[in-house]
Amino acid sequence: MANEVAKTEPKKQSIASYLAKEAVKANVESVVGVKDSQRFISSVVSAVQTNTQLAECTNASILSAALLGHSLNLPQSPQIGMFYMVPFKNKKKVKVKDEKGREKEETVEVMEATFQLSYRGMLQLAMRSGQYKLMNVTDIREGELVSYNPIEDVYEFKAETDVSKREKLEIIGYYAFFEMINGFRKGIYWTKEQVDAHAKKYSASYRN
């Protein structure tokens, strides 16, 4: 019996090799600057090497997400966590040729890196604006939510100030608020169930 040769798909080019291309380097240097380009490239390569799922994404989408973070002057470091490059399966239409050489469109799944601003990044951008006086996010424990007026969108809380007692109480939701230097104040409360449903709908890593 003749030996059969296994057919394999072409191996994806590494992010390091992709970023080493002259055209890609020139693009990075035009956005980041020649002085900081090597540091930027090293940070992107490091981020991909420590995330196996991210390594499966298209190199162009990884670079695009990293450059968006740079445009906001946020460091590309998973440890600092100002923003993340999150792998998502997206559907794309591509042109292919059938067995008779006729061109047609086909929908394929492509793994792409998507820029996601973290809450730390949001805080950083808010602080830079110089317009915020206060901001905070906290969990709300059982018994701390007193009332909510949906007409005026006003919450009333009574915090358990004894830390040891508070830690024993069940978390029922989360509250975020900010106050600007002009006096405008806004807050939002979500139950634990609302947060869980939102995460399951929009976060692939949470669902897994």
Side-chain angles (χ1 to χ4, degrees):
M1 181 184 288
N3 291 330
E4 292 184 358
V5 180
K7 292 182 179 180
T8 58
E9 294 182 0
K11 188 177 180 181
K12 175 181 174 288
Q13 186 180 33
S14 71
I15 188 66
S17 298
Y18 174 77
L19 293 174
K21 288 182 176 180
E22 289 303 319
V24 177
K25 281 180 67 177
N27 181 36
V28 170
E29 289 175 358
S30 68
V31 178
V32 177
V34 177
K35 183 180 177 182
D36 297 323
S37 62
Q38 192 53 52
R39 182 173 59 181
F40 172 84
I41 288 172
S42 297
S43 69
V44 174
V45 171
S46 176
V48 174
Q49 288 177 340
T50 56
N51 187 330
T52 54
Q53 284 190 317
L54 191 58
E56 296 175 9
C57 296
T58 63
N59 290 323
S61 68
I62 294 171
L63 178 58
S64 178
L67 286 174
L68 180 52
H70 180 270
S71 70
L72 295 173
N73 197 23
L74 296 174
Q76 166 42 49
S77 170
Q79 290 75 29
I80 298 175
M82 291 293 181
F83 73 92
Y84 298 101
M85 297 185 289
V86 183
F88 276 105
K89 280 185 179 178
N90 295 322
K91 290 184 177 180
K92 297 282 184 180
K93 285 187 176 180
V94 296
K95 289 183 178 180
V96 297
K97 289 184 178 181
D98 61 20
E99 63 277 2
K100 293 184 179 180
R102 293 173 299 193
E103 199 173 72
K104 63 176 183 177
E105 275 194 346
E106 219 173 67
T107 301
V108 297
E109 281 192 342
V110 180
M111 187 73 84
E112 293 183 317
T114 304
F115 173 89
Q116 281 198 356
L117 185 64
S118 71
Y119 81 92
R120 291 188 182 92
M122 292 179 188
L123 287 175
Q124 183 66 219
L125 296 179
M127 287 188 289
R128 287 181 198 167
S129 72
Q131 298 299 309
Y132 292 85
K133 180 181 178 181
L134 283 172
M135 62 177 67
N136 192 33
V137 178
T138 182
D139 56 57
I140 301 299
R141 305 282 172 148
E142 190 175 14
E144 291 186 321
L145 176 60
V146 178
S147 65
Y148 170 56
N149 182 338
I151 306 300
E152 298 180 356
D153 195 26
V154 175
Y155 298 88
E156 183 184 354
F157 299 98
K158 184 178 180 182
E160 173 55 70
T161 55
D162 188 313
V163 177
S164 60
K165 286 183 180 179
R166 190 174 191 276
E167 287 180 347
K168 295 175 183 177
L169 296 174
E170 182 184 352
I171 295 175
I172 61 169
Y174 299 88
Y175 183 66
F177 77 92
F178 66 83
E179 182 179 352
M180 302 186 78
I181 57 175
N182 64 6
F184 178 74
R185 184 183 177 98
K186 182 69 176 176
I188 184 169
Y189 170 77
W190 274 17
T191 65
K192 191 166 65 172
E193 290 74 21
Q194 283 177 295
V195 173
D196 184 64
H198 183 84
K200 287 178 179 177
K201 183 175 181 180
Y202 294 103
S203 175
S205 60
Y206 187 88
R207 290 194 299 268
N208 295 336

